[in-house]
Amino acid sequence: MLLQDIKIVLSRVSEPGNVGAVCRAMKNMGLFELRIAAIAEPLDTDIIYERAVNARDIWDNTRIFNTLAEATADCSIIVGTTRRRGQKRNISMPPGKLACFLKERKAGKAGCTAAAIVFGNERTGLDENELKLCNFASHIPVCEAQPSLNLSHAVQIYAYELFLAMEKQQSVKGEWTAMNQADISALVGTITDTLESVGFYKNPNKQEQARFLRNIISRAALTNSEGEYFKEIINKAVQLGGKT
């Protein structure tokens, strides 16, 4: 399944400000299809636009349905977000596991599929009838001192996990990336060879020290530039030692 196959569905939502914030959260993470179900009265578009900031297009393309069943009728899987665990809701995944599960889900026979992630009313969440429409539940682990999340915050968490799982990530300048084992082995080889060249090893413990350096560099998660700097320190120390 692709990110574009994910539909965010808000059932019985009542606060237009929350809807606008949801639009912004979705667009931040590459989700573009919002559906609204079973609202009691029209939502104030001006307030939605104000909170959506540069995500007004999400609201402009939002589809509104009379019922949750209608809003999810074309979806192959429906996920209900809830922190309540009913007797018949034994299957519940946190957002990260849900994102991985949906990523691995194959397209249907028609060549396409869709998943609806459903969020309930801001005050009461999804009710029992709404949850019965869902195939399984998903929950966000939270501190019991304050177990309820703001609607847009909850959507942001799911959107973020989905984006990480499904979208190809581009490296960011200055982003930390640890050395891989091949680079670590090369660095350790250079360091131990340099030390050996100046008679550092009085006893045959070069291999033991190589293992030590490899393991400690791996646990420290040095970047390649940090590894190069470490090598320069060793080389400088060896050069200075040769002058004394």
Side-chain angles (χ1 to χ4, degrees):
M1 184 174 292
L2 303 175
L3 200 61
Q4 66 199 44
D5 299 319
I6 306 298
K7 324 299 178 185
I8 299 298
V9 183
L10 308 182
S11 184
R12 296 181 296 110
V13 64
S14 60
E15 300 292 337
N18 275 330
V19 175
V22 165
C23 291
R24 184 175 185 178
M26 289 175 60
K27 193 168 183 179
N28 282 151
M29 298 299 152
L31 293 170
F32 293 95
E33 187 163 348
L34 176 63
R35 299 179 179 185
I36 305 289
I39 53 174
E41 57 186 35
L43 299 166
D44 190 322
T45 299
D46 290 337
I47 296 177
I48 293 174
Y49 279 165
E50 182 180 350
R51 292 290 300 278
V53 190
N54 293 322
R56 292 184 174 190
D57 55 310
I58 302 295
W59 174 248
D60 290 338
N61 293 303
T62 295
R63 300 171 63 188
I64 297 178
F65 299 83
N66 291 325
T67 67
L68 180 58
E70 293 175 359
T72 57
D74 63 336
C75 296
S76 63
I77 190 165
I78 308 170
V79 182
T81 60
T82 179
R83 65 182 178 87
R84 293 180 285 118
R85 302 295 301 277
Q87 192 173 21
K88 296 182 179 180
R89 293 195 303 278
N90 294 323
I91 300 176
S92 183
M93 299 182 189
K97 288 186 178 180
L98 172 65
C100 292
F101 168 78
L102 293 177
K103 178 184 178 181
E104 297 303 319
R105 192 173 174 87
K106 304 302 182 182
K109 292 181 179 180
C112 64
T113 190
I117 302 181
V118 184
F119 299 82
N121 177 266
E122 295 94 331
R123 295 177 180 82
T124 61
L126 293 173
D127 64 27
E128 288 298 321
N129 289 328
E130 289 168 328
L131 285 167
K132 286 178 182 178
L133 288 172
C134 301
N135 304 121
F136 62 85
S138 180
H139 66 283
I140 299 173
V142 293
C143 175
E144 287 303 316
Q146 175 61 302
S148 179
L149 281 87
N150 174 273
L151 173 61
S152 64
H153 294 176
V155 172
Q156 183 74 79
I157 291 170
Y158 279 94
Y160 172 74
E161 293 290 356
L162 289 163
F163 182 78
L164 286 186
M166 298 183 181
E167 191 73 7
K168 183 178 180 181
Q169 304 301 306
Q170 295 182 349
S171 61
V172 177
K173 185 178 181 180
E175 184 177 1
W176 167 82
T177 302
M179 297 175 69
N180 60 37
Q181 291 300 309
D183 290 335
I184 292 173
S185 294
L187 172 62
V188 169
T190 300
I191 291 172
T192 54
D193 287 347
T194 300
L195 293 174
E196 186 178 40
S197 69
V198 294
F200 182 80
Y201 299 110
K202 301 297 184 182
N203 298 313
N205 63 352
K206 179 181 177 182
Q207 290 185 346
E208 181 181 340
Q209 190 172 92
R211 285 194 298 271
F212 168 77
L213 288 171
R214 183 195 65 205
N215 291 339
I216 200 169
I217 291 171
S218 182
R219 290 197 297 269
L222 299 186
T223 65
N224 279 296
S225 60
E226 290 170 334
E228 286 297 315
Y229 188 48
F230 187 28
K231 183 169 66 177
E232 289 174 9
I233 292 173
I234 298 296
N235 288 334
K236 186 71 172 180
V238 167
Q239 291 171 10
L240 290 174
K243 295 178 180 180
T244 58

